[in-house]
Each structure stands twice: as C-alpha cells, then as structure tokens.
Amino acid sequence: MSEAVKSNHRSAGAGATAARLFVLEINAGRIHTMSVDGSNKKTIVSDCHLPDGIVVDAEAGHIYWTNMGIPSLNDGSVERADIDGKNRKTIVPQGQTHTPKQIILDKKAGKLYWCDREGMRVMRCNLDGSRLETLIETGHGDADSRDATRWCVGLTIDPKFGKIYWSQKGPDNAGLGRICRANLEIPAGQTAATRSDIEIFYDALPEPIDLELDLKNRVLYWTDRGDPPRGNTVSRASIDNKPAEPEIVVTHLMEGIGIALDIPNDRMFVTDFAGSIYSARLDGSGERNFLYAQGNLTGIAYAEI
C-alpha cells in the first residue's frame, strides 16, 4: 500500500474515520474487509480471477486489485470498485498484463504501479487504466518466462528520490531471490528492457514477495515465503544506509505474502498463504495471529475510511 493512502485527511465535519483491513482470498476469489482485530469481517467482492494485490484510495472511495489469472492463459487483469465493493469495473483488461501481483497507488501522480510475474515486467497506468506503460522488463518470451529469477512480484516507490523498488522471487527456496531498485522514469534513450540504472538492493534472498516502504523512517519491509530460517519471515532494512544484512523482525509465517504498514500507530499487518493474518509492532514485537484458517491469503491493505 502506498504511503499516499494514509494521508486521507478528512474535513472536520466529515466525521471520524475507522481503521479497516482489506484482504484477498485467492483460492475463493474474494475480497474481505474487517476491523484491525479481525472483527466485523464481511465479503465485499466475489468471483475474482485469482486476486493477488490490493490497494485502497480512501480519499476517492475506491479499491484497486489485481487478478493474477492462470499464468499459461495470459489472462490477468486489474479491477476497481467502490470501497463497499459496488460499481466494479475492469480498468486493465485481460491480455494487457500477464500475471499481475502486488499493486500500489501513487495518489499525487495519479498512477497505479504493479509487478507482472510471468510478464517479467513492472507496469503502471493512470487510475482509469489509460496510458499503460512498461517501466522495467526483465525478460521476454516463453523461455524467459519459465525462469523464476526474472519474475517480478512485489513493489513500492520512494517519491523523495523518485525510485522504484521491486522483488524478483526466484525458484522455490533456491536462495536466488532479489530486491532491485531503479529510477521511476526510464533514462532518456533507453527502454524498459535496456535501461542501465537498475541496481540490486539485496540478492541471495529465499523468496521475497510483497514490499512496503516506511517513508517517515526510510525503511523497506518485505515478506519472504521461502524456507526458514531466512524465509517465512518479514524483513526490513534502511534504504539510505543499507545494512550488510537485512533485519528479520517476524518469523514462522507459513509462506508470507501480503504486508501493510500503519506507521502512525507503529504496527504492521501480514498475511500468509496458510490463511493467517498477523499484527505486530514495526520492530516485530507484540506479534499476534488474530485470524487463522481463512483460506489462501495474498494481498492486504490498511486504510482509514
């Protein structure tokens, strides 16, 4: 979830806001919303095509999510609905993005960004789906798409320095996962496939998945669904003073996927593929598994609405 989501200031007369979580259940194709302790849970969208990433634009009253689709069919898509799940609309239709994963919002620029796994791309578009662009292309064609080191999965942006960070998962438990960064804009005269400004932030990771950036403290957080001890975790690292090794703050997840930060209240929310939702302080202390056996969970977003 973009930091911009959290700056949803309301006028004094608009009434109090409520903190809500939005969670994707990929196997059942559903989007759920609930209070931050797991209570008041309700399903707001059904019949999604393998949903994976979600972001909330609280100010505009919209949710956006990716439908990963079936990789061999190249039938991924991006949809939008109102926060209550009504007025559902496809904004990036099947065939224009292959296997879209984590999605984020840059509210100020009016852009959505997401990673396209088997498409081996980082993409963006306007909030209505127009101006679809590929910013990064890590491979091309069927042979490359079978190489999991090229798969782009999670992402976040650093507006202060105009950088984008993304994860490339690698094969299962191979220790070939990496997090990369580059400028938001493709350098002049270069292409998404030839750009020379890509740098590796960390490599030799188990299987990094979704990313979240604490812009206030300049710290990157990510889930990793690989094997212990370094996988099934949430890790973090300063982006301006990168440590030699990231700090592992949460362990013993069952294939960690989604992560959402609530910086003002010093907390994170994490989902795993085994169907649990966790909360913890940003340093990993006070960890609590407050919902479990919820199906196969992927993306999670936090918003005050």
Side-chain angles (χ1 to χ4, degrees):
M1 181 176 64
S2 164
E3 196 74 20
V5 173
K6 296 170 204 137
S7 60
N8 48 314
H9 300 296
R10 301 292 181 135
S11 63
T17 60
R20 301 287 290 179
L21 296 174
F22 294 78
V23 179
L24 300 178
E25 184 187 357
I26 189 171
N27 57 312
R30 298 188 293 194
I31 302 176
H32 308 289
T33 182
M34 63 194 74
S35 298
V36 294
D37 61 359
S39 63
N40 301 310
K41 179 185 171 189
K42 59 183 177 180
T43 301
I44 55 172
V45 181
S46 299
D47 300 315
C48 300
H49 191 36
L50 299 172
D52 193 90
I54 185 166
V55 68
V56 181
D57 182 351
E59 195 175 39
H62 288 144
I63 56 172
Y64 296 88
W65 72 94
T66 59
N67 294 299
M68 194 175 73
I70 299 166
S72 61
L73 300 182
N74 189 11
D75 60 353
S77 62
V78 180
E79 292 190 68
R80 183 189 78 202
D82 294 344
I83 276 182
D84 60 5
K86 296 177 177 158
N87 295 316
R88 182 173 172 181
K89 179 182 181 183
T90 298
I91 61 168
V92 179
Q94 293 183 0
Q96 293 193 17
T97 184
H98 193 297
T99 327
K101 302 286 283 180
Q102 187 179 10
I103 188 167
I104 59 172
L105 168 71
D106 181 352
K107 179 69 173 176
K108 188 175 179 182
K111 295 284 185 183
L112 295 166
Y113 290 78
W114 66 93
C115 277
D116 182 349
R117 193 179 69 186
E118 275 85 353
M120 302 166 288
R121 296 176 288 194
V122 177
M123 306 184 76
R124 74 176 172 193
C125 68
N126 292 336
L127 300 186
D128 62 358
S130 61
R131 276 207 73 191
L132 184 65
E133 301 173 85
T134 296
L135 298 178
I136 291 141
E137 187 174 29
T138 60
H140 190 76
D142 288 344
D144 282 354
S145 74
R146 290 190 288 272
D147 177 0
T149 64
R150 301 176 183 269
W151 288 358
C152 304
V153 178
L155 78 170
T156 190
I157 57 176
D158 172 17
K160 181 177 178 181
F161 291 120
K163 296 283 186 182
I164 188 162
Y165 291 74
W166 72 97
S167 63
Q168 292 176 211
K169 184 178 94 69
D172 293 353
N173 303 309
L176 296 175
R178 56 176 49 175
I179 295 174
C180 302
R181 69 179 166 193
N183 295 315
L184 266 178
E185 305 302 331
I186 299 172
Q190 298 180 18
T191 70
T194 65
R195 55 187 300 168
S196 61
D197 61 333
I198 295 173
E199 58 179 313
I200 296 172
F201 188 66
Y202 281 112
D203 62 3
L205 299 174
E207 286 180 76
I209 306 295
D210 284 3
L211 311 182
E212 270 274 59
L213 186 55
D214 170 359
L215 289 175
K216 179 183 175 187
N217 299 299
R218 311 284 299 157
V219 175
L220 181 70
Y221 290 74
W222 66 92
T223 54
D224 194 302
R225 67 181 292 185
D227 281 348
R230 296 171 66 228
N232 279 324
T233 54
V234 175
S235 296
R236 67 178 182 179
S238 166
I239 58 172
D240 298 331
N241 300 288
K242 188 187 82 163
E245 293 291 332
E247 177 190 9
I248 295 173
V249 293
V250 174
T251 58
H252 63 260
L253 302 175
M254 294 296 289
E255 297 193 70
I257 304 287
I259 182 168
L261 303 181
D262 172 18
I263 307 303
N265 293 303
D266 183 30
R267 59 187 175 179
M268 70 172 89
F269 301 93
V270 180
T271 57
D272 69 18
F273 212 61
S276 291
I277 308 177
Y278 302 83
S279 62
R281 286 189 278 275
L282 294 175
D283 65 2
S285 64
E287 180 190 339
R288 195 164 70 88
N289 179 351
F290 62 86
L291 274 183
Y292 55 92
Q294 299 294 305
N296 298 132
L297 302 182
T298 49
I300 185 170
Y302 168 87
E304 294 170 10
I305 57 174

